[in-house]
Amino acid sequence: MELRQITYFIAVAEELHFGRAAERCHIAQPPLSQQIKRLEDELGVTLLERTSRRVALTPEGKEFLRRCRDIRDRLHAAIVHVQDMSKGLEGMLCVGFIGPASLSKLPQAIRAFRERNPNIRLDFSAQSTSEQLPLLRGDRLDIAFVRLFGHDTSGFNSMTFLREPYVLALPEGHPLAEREVVDITDLENVPLIFNQRIAQPALYRSLVGSFHKAGFMPNIVQEVNTEQSTVALVATGLGCALVPASSATDSRAGVAFRPLTGDLPQWEITALWKKNKKCASLYKFIDVVREFREVN
């Protein structure tokens, strides 16, 4: 069965006249009649009752017309859908992000994109950088917001979405909380909460190196796997922590934040996507995200 036979049948069934149906399909009447006959022979069903005076649908013909119209409408919808996808008007994007990105302007960027592109569905996945990179390479993510430090980014395009300094999170009432600014040299022997070495080994070494340059090794009393956990432990009085400046928006009771000076790396979130990826909606998303970058 060919699609054109379905088109021809719909025309005959709606016109109930082979001559008008032939004009509608831009073919001669004999070939049209032959195609309808072949269709009936293939189905083994009579779809049309023909006399010299009239053409009428059989009960089977009425049911077949209903289903053929459904096929036609579904095909048309499929055509429109893929054409809109190619223009970035419809589709789905899979977006990965690390937890701290939720404290940046990423949620605002996502909201702006959704308002401008209501027919593009966004699917989100909150995971670590190490978990996101293989998903990105395997096309299970379209774009990832990650924290890079020594990771292999070959084959990816990148855009720094957020760059900001570290600040010191410390329990309220801590002696250093009385200062307006804290220097890294002030942290000698101060109990510190660090992100896990296994999660970001290169970054861990860089931060420890900053303390080493200041003339001492950090007094690490606890390692955790997220910034949110870090701030929560600071609130318990366990120790102080180096956190991104955006964490200072967390109004958690029992925690104070102070600017931190010293030879420290910047805290960054980077957007990554595969080079030469063909996805119009992805590039529309990137254009919106670019409007919300915070790069100091």
Side-chain angles (χ1 to χ4, degrees), residues 9-252:
F9 171 72
I10 292 174
V12 174
E14 290 180 345
E15 298 291 343
L16 294 177
H17 190 282
F18 276 87
R20 291 194 298 270
E23 291 179 7
R24 174 172 157 180
C25 296
H26 306 290
I27 63 170
Q29 183 173 331
L32 175 64
S33 298
Q34 291 171 8
Q35 289 294 333
I36 298 300
K37 183 64 170 63
R38 288 176 186 173
L39 178 61
E40 290 180 316
D41 290 343
E42 183 175 346
L43 293 173
V45 173
T46 300
L47 300 173
L48 297 161
E49 292 178 347
R50 307 166 181 82
T51 67
S52 59
R53 301 176 61 182
R54 63 190 290 270
V55 176
L57 286 165
T58 64
E60 294 82 2
K62 291 178 181 179
E63 177 61 19
F64 194 61
L65 173 61
R66 184 181 69 81
R67 294 180 180 268
C68 285
R69 282 171 170 164
D70 183 60
I71 292 170
R72 177 196 61 190
D73 294 344
R74 286 174 178 267
L75 177 60
H76 177 71
I79 292 170
V80 172
H81 179 69
V82 296
Q83 288 175 337
D84 284 348
M85 282 186 65
S86 72
K87 300 171 186 175
L89 301 176
E90 286 192 16
M92 184 178 80
L93 281 178
C94 296
V95 181
F97 62 94
I98 56 173
S102 63
L103 299 175
S104 70
K105 288 187 177 180
L106 180 59
Q108 295 170 252
I110 290 170
R111 180 172 181 174
F113 178 81
R114 294 183 65 187
E115 289 175 349
R116 300 177 199 177
N117 303 275
N119 293 325
I120 298 177
R121 176 187 164 192
L122 296 177
D123 186 65
F124 301 104
S125 176
Q127 295 174 304
S128 69
T129 297
S130 298
E131 291 171 323
Q132 289 186 68
L133 293 180
L135 296 179
L136 199 59
R137 292 190 187 280
D139 291 317
R140 294 173 63 186
L141 288 177
D142 295 303
I143 187 169
F145 291 84
V146 296
R147 191 177 186 192
L148 297 175
F149 222 96
H151 294 87
D152 177 16
T153 59
S154 58
F156 293 130
N157 287 319
S158 66
M159 176 179 68
T160 302
F161 178 68
L162 171 67
R163 181 186 296 125
E164 61 184 4
Y166 281 94
V167 298
L168 184 68
L170 61 169
E172 285 186 353
H174 192 283
L176 292 177
E178 297 177 1
R179 303 189 183 186
E180 292 187 4
V181 178
V182 178
D183 189 79
I184 190 172
T185 57
D186 299 322
L187 300 179
E188 187 172 5
N189 298 320
V190 172
L192 295 172
I193 302 164
F194 257 49
N195 278 44
Q196 286 181 334
R197 182 200 307 255
I198 192 172
Q200 294 275 8
L203 176 59
Y204 187 97
R205 289 193 297 270
S206 177
L207 288 174
V208 170
S210 296
F211 284 88
H212 182 70
K213 291 175 185 176
F216 63 97
M217 294 301 291
N219 176 23
I220 301 172
V221 296
Q222 180 71 48
E223 292 185 11
V224 294
N225 58 3
T226 67
E227 263 72 18
Q228 292 88 337
S229 300
T230 301
V231 176
L233 287 177
V234 170
T236 69
L238 180 64
C240 300
L242 279 62
V243 297
S246 54
S247 294
T249 60
D250 186 344
S251 58
R252 188 184 302 268

Side-chain angles (χ1 to χ4, degrees), residues 261-295:
T261 58
D263 186 7
L264 289 160
Q266 290 282 90
W267 202 97
E268 294 185 351
I269 294 177
T270 302
L272 288 182
W273 63 95
K274 287 178 75 172
K275 289 182 177 178
N276 304 317
K277 187 175 180 69
K278 296 181 179 179
C279 180
S281 55
L282 169 62
Y283 295 104
K284 293 184 77 170
F285 183 72
I286 292 168
D287 286 342
V288 174
V289 165
R290 189 173 282 113
E291 297 175 21
F292 290 84
R293 295 174 67 209
E294 300 174 271
V295 181

